[in-house]
Amino acid sequence: MDVDWVRETLTLLLYILPAMAANGTPVVARRYYGRGHPIDCGLRFIDGRRLLGDGKTWEGFIAGMLASLITGVVIYLALLGLDLEYLYYAVLSGFGALMGDIMGSFVKRRLGIERGGRAPVLDQLDFYAGALVVLWVAGVRYNIVSVLSVGAIILMLHIATNRIAYLLGLKEVPW
Ligand code: CTP
Ligand code: MG
């Protein structure tokens, strides 16, 4: 196996793990904050539909930011040789993920898809695109091959976690 490819993909994965934590945490944390406070304050766009919808809350946003910080600290402590600067990128990665998820909902509403309605690929990768953009702007450089590799890992993790959640009875459908 090409060692450079493995190293670059694992490096990008280190930067994206806090984004994955930020993206996944609201789904679990909502048990504790209930419906929460919608980020769009219930406002509607010129098309008459909600700006973002009830699925994007401040509580989820804060929980996601905390999750990215905690994930960053754990990875920083677990791996020797990481610069303290990594924590800053971990939080930025989480922020990008939450922003990407918000943009994904904005796009879904404009397409007429209700909150919680399915939008394949967009649903799974909006947070990843957001994290990639914010990290790039912050100066993190990565190549297309590692972007595609980590993207494939994220899609496979989604399929696997959904199946497990279904088998455990946490979800109605296996996708
Ligand atoms: N969530 C939240 N705040 C966020 C993101 C997510 O409270 N910023 C919670 C909501 O309870 C949401 C759940 O996590 O329903 C799952 O997130 P997601 O699948 O992104 O939202 P959807 O409900 O599917 O809404 P949308 O159609 O807008 O994606
Ligand atoms: Mg959803």
Side-chain angles (χ1 to χ4, degrees), residues 46-172:
I46 42 171
D47 55 11
R49 296 179 188 279
R50 285 285 295 276
L51 216 55
L52 304 173
D54 288 332
K56 299 295 112 108
T57 68
W58 287 113
E59 286 82 351
F61 195 89
I62 292 163
M65 288 301 298
L66 284 174
S68 66
L69 176 62
I70 292 168
T71 306
V73 170
V74 169
I75 292 175
Y76 174 75
L77 294 176
L79 295 185
L80 297 173
L82 274 184
D83 208 280
L84 193 60
E85 214 182 33
Y86 170 73
L87 287 183
Y88 160 72
Y89 291 117
V91 172
L92 279 182
S93 177
F95 176 74
L98 292 157
M99 292 308 291
D101 183 46
I102 285 171
M103 305 257 267
S105 291
F106 180 80
V107 171
K108 279 170 77 174
R109 299 301 91 82
R110 303 292 73 76
L111 294 173
I113 304 170
E114 297 294 331
R115 175 251 174 113
R118 294 177 70 207
V121 184
L122 183 66
D123 277 336
Q124 289 80 38
L125 296 178
D126 52 7
F127 85 91
Y128 181 44
L132 284 176
V133 169
V134 169
L135 287 171
W136 187 277
V137 171
V140 178
R141 292 294 171 263
Y142 40 77
N143 59 32
I144 185 69
V145 180
S146 41
V147 167
L148 294 176
S149 305
V150 172
I153 290 170
I154 291 170
L155 286 178
M156 287 189 293
L157 279 176
H158 263 279
I159 294 168
T161 50
N162 287 341
R163 282 196 152 262
I164 291 167
Y166 169 72
L167 291 174
L168 291 175
L170 298 172
K171 281 192 83 203
E172 302 288 315

Side-chain angles (χ1 to χ4, degrees), residues 18-41:
M20 293 162 83
N23 185 56
T25 295
V27 187
V28 185
R30 66 177 162 183
R31 291 159 161 267
Y32 304 99
Y33 59 74
R35 293 190 63 226
H37 298 78
I39 291 172
D40 69 4
C41 302

